[in-house]
Amino acid sequence: LGAGDFVYFDPPYAPLTKTALFTDYTAGGFGADEQGRLARELGRLGRAGALAMLSNADTEATRALFRAFACERLYAPRAINSDPSKRGDAAELLVTSWGPPRGRRAAVGAAAARAPR
């Protein structure tokens, strides 16, 4: 992969709490080591000229892990949760291998849902 290629990663998100471990998508899990490998791969692809993007949970750990990349905070609607009071918009990070590192916030959700498709 190189210049002109686009790659999007949708990994298992980093857990927001110690009990929210959605990391068992693979036999070996997808923990902090795999998140680190993903960050290194994003950097490698960017250096090769590819446009690489990923989304992940917006946590202190993911902000630190992806601090060298352009990161946007987005709010994505969540309709599924065992506790109805915890349903609603969730903060996510959209990370790209291009553009300067930044911390600008962008809100999506209700407005995006109303946008024509």
Side-chain angles (χ1 to χ4, degrees):
L1 293 172
D5 292 322
F6 176 78
V7 179
Y8 175 73
F9 294 100
D10 186 18
Y13 281 16
L16 295 175
T17 66
K18 291 181 181 183
T19 59
L21 297 175
F22 298 106
T23 58
D24 294 330
Y25 292 103
T26 64
F30 201 91
D33 290 343
E34 290 76 21
Q35 294 283 355
R37 283 189 9 232
L38 183 58
R40 289 188 297 279
E41 182 63 11
L42 194 73
R44 186 193 70 76
L45 288 167
R47 288 186 301 278
L51 300 175
M53 174 187 286
L54 67 85
S55 56
N56 211 317
D58 182 9
T59 68
E60 187 175 318
T62 55
R63 285 190 301 272
L65 184 62
F66 296 107
R67 70 183 170 272
F69 301 98
C71 295
E72 293 286 338
R73 176 183 275 174
L74 306 173
Y75 292 93
R78 293 288 183 268
I80 299 173
N81 192 307
S82 60
D83 180 351
S85 69
K86 294 182 180 178
R87 295 175 189 162
D89 289 350
E92 294 188 4
L93 282 184
L94 186 64
V95 182
T96 63
S97 65
W98 67 90
R102 59 196 184 279
R104 224 181 80 210
R105 294 180 180 196
V108 299
R114 291 189 302 269
R117 296 180 194 258

